[in-house]
Amino acid sequence: MKHTTVILSILLLITSCSTEKKESPREPLKIWYDEPALATVKDNPNGWKDDAEWLKALPLGNGSFGAMVFGDVNLERIQLNEESMWSGSPDDNDNPEAFAAQAKIRELLFNGNYKEATELTNSTQICKGEGSGHGNGAEVPFGCFQTLGDLWIDNGQKEPYENYHRELDLDDAIVRISYTQNGVNYKREIFTSYPDQVMIVRFTADKPGQISFNATMDRPENFKTYSEDEQLIMSGALPNGKGQDGLQYMTRLKGTNKKGALQYVGDRLVVENADEVTLYLSASTDYVLDPPNYNGRDYINITEANINKALAKSFDQLLSDHTQEYQNYFKRVSLDITPDPITPMPTGTRLERYKETKNDPHLEELMFQYGRYLLISSSRPGTLPANLQGIWANKIQTPWNGDYHTDINVQMNYWLAETTNLSELHMPLFNLITSLVPSGERTAEVQYHNSGWVLHPITNVWGYTSPGESASWGMHAGGGAWLSTHIAEHYNFSKDKDFLKRMYPVLKGSVEFYMDWLVEDPKTGKLVSGPAVSPENTFIAPDGSRSQISMGPAHDQQVIWQLFTDFLNSSKELGISDSYVQKVSQARNSLLGPKIGSDGRLMEWAEEFEEVEPGHRHISHLFALHPGNQISRIETPDLAAAAGKSLDYRIANGGGGTGWSAAWLINQYARLGNGDKAKSSLETVLSKSTAANLFGLHPPFQMDANFGTTAGVAEMLLQSHAGAIELLPALPKAWPTGSVNGLKARGDITVDMKWENGQLIYANILAPEEQEITVSYGTLKKTIQLKENEIFKFVMDNPN
Ligand code: FUC
């Protein structure tokens, strides 16, 4: 923050510069190991089984291209991904029989006939066709995100090695490997460049003529590898799920050498006795996020042009362009939660030790920054959004098709985007949402005879918007509302009015669907959603049957409330106050709102049902607490207390166990101002749901836990959802001293903070535009006037 500073001292006047921020040298943000991930251990072909070695490999990515580097000495394996490597194709899964049964289902539900209503929902409301193939959709039209293949580099040696080190440096997004073999010190440096759209792999040695290897590329199916024009090419087509070829792809590999020989022989690149070798790899597909055909990218020429452009640059130039572009995102935020120096220890050992001690602030800092690293690596302007595995998948059948689950998972991927200062990286999600409108309109019309657009709990890159193939999880029409709330969040943080104008029709289209979808509960007169599930949870109905289907589950009610509220605020921002806005405002006021049950917990369903699984991983009825803002400890303390009881109860019953679920709890406890419980959920993520390479585990591997954890830590330190900017709202006792720079609050406000002995020392607050804001710290609340681009220094004097 290099701007003029305005200082306000709170409590006691202070002008001393002793509170000035001192830049202390930060610990290196490295994930490192003293042994390789073994490339010789084969992947389990079962997509649902994690591969322990793959989960030791180090991820690189430029938003669309991903690589997992094993760093094995004699056989290097770099597993490759391209974000659009999806089998399947666009398909019509909307069920024209659905509408006719809806009135009957609602009547049954209102009359308490859950068993019959559930049966009728199952037989009439689900999608037509095979849906997601029960999460195994590689061969059906839904399709599956899958591996691009592997680059294998075999040096033909068997001798022992020593001094082994491999690392991923989050500061520059480079993997470095070094070791000594036969008295030669070898090095590999690997990075994936966004500006140049290539992966670069450089091999060097400290003695001449020591680099020899055979390199090839393959994948489990649907490929051919050959050499052409002094390049190695792997290309093929994926099945479209209808018996034909679908997506086409190509990967090109080119090598350059200093001394020695380099040639292309059949499906191999052969290097002999070189001093240094650099490999350039570029991949693309014919996919375009453009319905209805989703194709037309000139992938053959694109890969060729990328390689040629990269060849024209020096290695140093490629490296510095990559580093600069990457650091422009990464360096915006720094976090330091301990004054203690780091004890050097390989990350795997550190993680194992954490499982015992639950105490390693450096690992927690690393995990926080890793989430940011992973978002930068899997989501950049112009790419597809990060999916269930970011962009990293090593199988043909990725769990749950590596799709976009819209009943928590893809939303969680983007919670950190705004708060951790990566707002531009949110854009791929909006491109996806916009692309879903045409098929979502068709689904709204065919399934429900409604206007607007709708989306259920899953989608893919082919515009899937129908319900899932089982009503128990698939009858969730709230996906569109939840996704649309991200539009307002992006605007709230960025204040980008052009964005809001552009996305307003999408937001309105979502509102239109729910305006038609809501019906009046004959007993209460309140507007309720249904037939609907509370994401993936099951209750015992009064008739003793087990069901997921009801009218007005809290989650739907809350996401719709949030959507309507966002729409009303957005309309105001854009100066729109027509009769439709009035109608939405009235509807919002008639919605069935959050209710507290007889046991003091926030109710998950409109009636007080017993849950089949009281520790269920989804905590969807607390959406209003986080990420929504209908409930807050300031505005609605009773509801917040009830939400707290629900959380505690879930945990007491074994909940919050899967990676993303525990990550959500960090955020929810942070919203409740309970830093110690938030920290305890962070401990759960790290000790139970984190792989050796710090990837989140459901299990299987799922990246939402990484993103949700980073968002949770940010939420512990800064909040702005309830009007005021809350400084250190949920600081745990375990982090008494620290600092954070570059976090974002709503209003395009950047905040740096420093604290000691658990007390805030100062906060530097900066906005690009003049505005009046309220800042709170504990019970202290101050209204302050921010001036354009001037740091407001909020100083606590003698906080103890
Ligand atoms: C939701 C969750 C599952 C899993 C899947 C990808 O269905 O209920 O736990 O995370 O998404």
Side-chain angles (χ1 to χ4, degrees):
M1 287 189 180
K2 291 189 199 97
H3 306 267
T4 337
T5 304
V6 175
I7 300 187
L8 177 85
S9 79
I10 305 290
L11 298 184
L12 288 180
L13 280 176
I14 191 163
T15 48
S16 146
C17 44
S18 64
T19 54
E20 279 303 322
K21 180 172 67 186
K22 287 196 195 76
E23 288 294 341
S24 53
R26 204 170 32 69
E27 299 298 346
L29 285 167
K30 289 184 181 182
I31 299 178
W32 67 275
Y33 305 86
D34 54 11
E35 49 188 29
L38 299 178
T40 44
V41 176
K42 293 224 172 343
D43 289 346
N44 187 327
N46 181 340
W48 296 84
K49 299 274 182 233
D50 279 331
D51 296 298
E53 295 305 318
W54 188 78
L55 286 173
K56 291 179 191 160
L58 293 169
L60 290 170
N62 66 5
S64 57
F65 177 83
M68 293 289 286
V69 184
F70 281 61
D72 207 348
V73 171
N74 297 329
L75 179 67
E76 175 63 279
R77 175 184 180 193
I78 304 182
Q79 187 268 317
L80 312 170
N81 285 108
E82 202 282 341
E83 61 171 2
S84 62
M85 279 293 280
W86 268 81
S87 61
S89 50
D91 197 30
D92 174 8
N93 297 90
D94 296 328
N95 182 350
E97 311 297 323
F99 177 72
Q102 275 153 23
K104 177 76 184 158
I105 296 171
R106 287 174 175 150
E107 191 191 313
L108 289 167
L109 289 171
F110 283 133
N111 290 327
N113 295 328
Y114 287 94
K115 191 165 187 295
E116 222 183 305
T118 305
E119 281 163 11
L120 192 57
T121 307
N122 269 318
S123 61
T124 59
Q125 301 301 302
I126 59 168
C127 64
K128 181 176 96 178
E130 291 168 281
S132 71
H134 298 281
N136 292 301
E139 300 289 334
V140 306
F142 188 90
C144 178
F145 172 64
Q146 45 191 256
T147 179
L148 172 66
D150 288 284
L151 169 63
W152 301 96
I153 300 156
D154 185 350
N155 71 9
Q157 307 221 30
K158 294 213 163 38
E159 289 78 2
Y161 56 85
E162 55 190 352
N163 303 328
Y164 183 89
H165 178 86
R166 83 186 152 105
E167 66 176 37
L168 165 62
D169 191 342
L170 303 190
D171 268 330
D172 55 16
I174 299 176
V175 169
R176 294 183 180 85
I177 296 149
S178 54
Y179 59 93
T180 309
Q181 194 172 32
N182 296 331
V184 181
N185 295 316
Y186 289 95
K187 271 195 191 137
R188 297 175 197 161
E189 295 147 284
I190 304 124
F191 59 94
T192 51
S193 162
Y194 177 83
D196 288 296
Q197 293 292 309
V198 283
M199 174 173 76
I200 301 290
V201 188
R202 182 165 77 165
F203 298 81
T204 49
D206 68 349
K207 294 204 174 119
Q210 296 299 322
I211 299 172
S212 299
F213 60 72
N214 268 348
T216 192
M217 295 183 287
D218 66 12
R219 73 190 297 276
E221 60 181 39
N222 298 319
F223 76 98
K224 60 176 191 291
T225 304
Y226 52 96
S227 31
E228 188 180 279
D229 298 336
E230 298 291 289
Q231 289 178 352
L232 201 63
I233 295 177
M234 173 169 68
S235 69
L238 304 191
N240 74 349
K242 297 170 182 167
Q244 290 128 10
D245 280 352
L247 179 122
Q248 314 270 331
Y249 71 91
M250 179 170 280
T251 306
R252 279 177 197 267
L253 181 71
K254 172 84 186 166
T256 59
N257 56 314
K258 287 193 182 148
K259 304 273 176 63
L262 187 152
Q263 45 183 320
Y264 302 84
V265 187
D267 63 356
R268 263 146 226 272
L269 181 162
V270 182
V271 175
E272 284 167 326
N273 306 325
D275 289 356
E276 183 180 315
V277 176
T278 306
L279 301 180
Y280 305 75
L281 187 142
S282 175
S284 185
T285 74
D286 67 350
Y287 180 82
V288 185
L289 179 62
D290 188 15
N293 298 322
Y294 296 96
N295 62 18
R297 194 179 346 161
D298 188 6
Y299 65 105
I300 297 178
N301 287 323
I302 287 174
T303 48
E304 189 170 16
N306 287 342
I307 297 274
N308 289 339
K309 272 192 277 161
L311 283 171
K313 283 188 176 181
S314 67
F315 177 85
D316 288 346
Q317 191 64 50
L318 289 163
L319 183 68
S320 81
D321 290 350
H322 153 76
T323 313
Q324 208 183 352
E325 191 269 346
Y326 166 77
Q327 290 183 340
N328 169 40
Y329 295 110
F330 188 71
K331 295 259 176 187
R332 292 175 189 174
V333 172
S334 64
L335 174 69
D336 181 355
I337 50 173
T338 175
D340 301 336
I342 197 163
T343 316
M345 200 186 301
T347 307
T349 315
R350 187 170 283 282
L351 185 65
E352 285 309 310
R353 207 188 57 152
Y354 189 92
K355 291 179 187 170
E356 305 297 319
T357 63
K358 308 276 193 310
N359 177 20
D360 185 344
H362 289 292
L363 184 64
E364 292 163 352
E365 287 169 8
L366 189 64
M367 193 68 172
F368 168 79
Q369 290 289 19
Y370 195 38
R372 299 185 64 247
Y373 168 83
L374 292 168
L375 191 69
I376 302 168
S377 305
S378 60
S379 191
R380 296 273 175 101
T383 71
L384 288 168
N387 64 37
L388 277 173
Q389 298 198 174
I391 38 169
W392 298 276
N394 60 328
K395 313 271 183 112
I396 296 297
Q397 180 57 65
T398 304
W400 289 285
N401 301 316
D403 69 11
Y404 302 105
H405 265 56
T406 54
D407 63 357
I408 172 68
N409 315 86
V410 73
Q411 289 91 343
M412 183 176 281
N413 288 3
Y414 285 89
W415 288 346
L416 71 162
E418 302 297 339
T419 51
T420 75
N421 213 335
L422 299 170
S423 187
E424 307 94 311
L425 307 188
H426 213 159
M427 296 317 290
L429 186 66
F430 302 117
N431 295 340
L432 180 76
I433 298 173
T434 306
S435 80
L436 291 169
V437 170
S439 50
E441 285 176 344
R442 195 186 58 210
T443 303
E445 170 59 31
V446 174
Q447 295 258 158
Y448 307 109
H449 293 192
N450 281 354
S451 50
W453 65 273
V454 66
L455 171 72
H456 294 83
I458 48 169
T459 190
N460 57 8
V461 299
W462 310 117
Y464 188 94
T465 48
S466 313
E469 60 273 18
S470 276
S472 62
W473 56 270
M475 196 54 216
H476 170 60
W482 192 341
L483 274 182
S484 298
T485 64
H486 280 244
I487 297 172
E489 277 300 58
H490 180 70
Y491 174 72
N492 291 339
F493 277 90
S494 68
K495 290 284 151 194
D496 180 348
K497 244 190 198 154
D498 291 338
F499 166 83
L500 190 63
K501 267 189 208 142
R502 203 167 67 240
M503 293 302 289
Y504 187 80
V506 177
L507 189 63
K508 189 170 177 189
S510 182
V511 170
E512 282 166 349
F513 172 79
Y514 296 100
M515 288 293 281
D516 286 353
W517 168 245
L518 292 164
V519 291
E520 233 179 70
D521 181 331
K523 285 195 205 100
T524 62
K526 293 284 184 193
L527 289 179
V528 289
S529 162
V533 301
S534 178
E536 308 189 30
N537 208 354
T538 306
F539 58 86
I540 302 173
D543 60 14
S545 64
R546 291 181 171 213
S547 179
Q548 301 80 20
I549 310 296
S550 72
M551 293 303 293
H555 175 75
D556 266 23
Q557 297 300 120
Q558 295 171 7
V559 287
I560 296 169
W561 183 91
Q562 193 69 50
L563 173 73
F564 286 4
T565 304
D566 288 350
F567 174 72
L568 296 173
N569 291 339
S570 301
S571 303
K572 199 162 154 207
E573 288 293 301
L574 298 176
I576 302 169
S577 60
D578 52 25
S579 59
Y580 190 72
V581 173
Q582 301 310 320
K583 263 173 71 182
V584 175
S585 170
Q586 277 157 16
R588 182 186 63 162
N589 296 339
S590 306
L591 281 168
L592 173 69
K595 294 205 292 187
I596 301 175
S598 56
D599 59 0
R601 287 187 291 148
L602 204 73
M603 282 166 60
E604 176 151 6
W605 295 279
E607 289 176 70
E608 237 179 308
F609 297 138
E610 191 187 326
E611 308 94 319
V612 170
E613 211 187 311
H616 197 264
R617 62 194 180 285
H618 284 264
I619 324 137
S620 316
H621 57 310
L622 303 195
F623 169 90
L625 173 69
H626 179 277
N629 62 9
Q630 191 178 5
I631 296 178
S632 77
R633 63 190 193 289
I634 315 232
E635 304 287 328
T636 57
D638 293 348
L639 291 171
K645 278 201 175 145
S646 296
L647 280 177
D648 292 346
Y649 186 83
R650 276 283 212 267
I651 293 194
N653 286 281
T658 69
W660 61 258
S661 181
W664 198 354
L665 293 186
I666 307 173
N667 291 271
Q668 292 182 324
Y669 276 124
R671 284 273 171 104
L672 289 174
N674 195 328
D676 289 337
K677 285 189 178 168
K679 163 76 167 46
S680 148
S681 291
L682 170 62
E683 289 163 9
T684 305
V685 174
L686 272 165
S687 53
K688 288 205 188 129
S689 304
T690 301
N693 63 0
L694 304 189
F695 272 8
L697 297 174
H698 186 282
F701 155 52
Q702 230 174 264
M703 192 140 277
D704 38 21
N706 291 97
F707 297 134
T709 296
T710 300
V713 171
E715 206 67 34
M716 289 163 77
L717 301 173
L718 185 73
Q719 291 174 23
S720 60
H721 59 285
I725 296 188
E726 300 173 58
L727 308 172
L728 303 181
L731 188 69
K733 287 193 203 72
W735 303 343
T737 297
S739 64
V740 64
N741 293 330
L743 290 183
K744 281 282 188 175
R746 289 163 183 81
D748 198 6
I749 293 167
T750 310
V751 180
D752 296 352
M753 285 177 285
K754 184 174 168 58
W755 65 94
E756 277 171 17
N757 302 321
Q759 300 290 320
L760 181 73
I761 301 295
Y762 68 81
N764 285 345
I765 305 172
L766 176 72
E769 279 179 20
E770 200 169 300
Q771 54 189 296
E772 187 180 274
I773 58 166
T774 305
V775 179
S776 77
Y777 172 63
T779 50
L780 187 74
K781 221 175 188 174
K782 281 272 157 188
T783 300
I784 59 177
Q785 204 67 43
L786 288 184
K787 300 226 175 73
E788 183 185 321
N789 281 328
E790 274 188 13
I791 293 177
F792 190 100
K793 198 163 183 99
F794 189 99
V795 183
M796 303 294 296
D797 183 41
N798 191 12
N800 300 312

